[in-house]
Amino acid sequence: MSDVRHVLVLPDRDTAEEVAEALAEHFGVDEDPRPVRDALAGEDDAEDAQWLLALRDEAGRLDPAELDAFAGRWDGWREEP
């Protein structure tokens, strides 16, 4: 069993929290991922931060392209590992 992870990058905290809730409904994920702030290098302003959601997918059942399209609905994307 491999340790597959997907990282979704989202524009703000509210969006990241909304996507985290929607993941369970849309993909049936068991865990409720926590949004994590990712400040851009050299930026102190919170407005310039992106928010990340990390998902475990040991079973390999989440399709990367589908996750990318899903995050795109909120102006986000799936980061390639």
Side-chain angles (χ1 to χ4, degrees):
M1 192 179 286
S2 64
D3 185 22
V4 177
R5 293 180 192 262
H6 302 281
V7 177
L8 303 184
V9 182
L10 299 149
D12 58 59
R13 183 181 187 139
D14 289 341
T15 300
E17 289 174 350
E18 184 178 340
V19 171
E21 290 177 18
L23 281 166
E25 184 177 317
H26 187 80
F27 291 98
V29 296
D30 295 331
E31 67 177 300
D32 191 15
R34 279 195 193 148
V36 176
R37 183 176 181 264
D38 181 38
L40 299 175
E43 297 292 336
D44 293 328
D45 188 352
E47 295 299 316
D48 292 328
Q50 296 172 329
W51 287 81
L52 309 177
L53 291 176
L55 304 168
R56 280 196 201 150
D57 185 23
E58 288 91 358
R61 64 180 189 82
L62 298 175
D63 179 79
E66 194 174 342
L67 283 170
D68 190 42
F70 182 76
R73 296 180 196 166
W74 286 272
D75 296 323
W77 64 91
R78 179 187 163 272
E79 188 72 25
E80 287 294 326

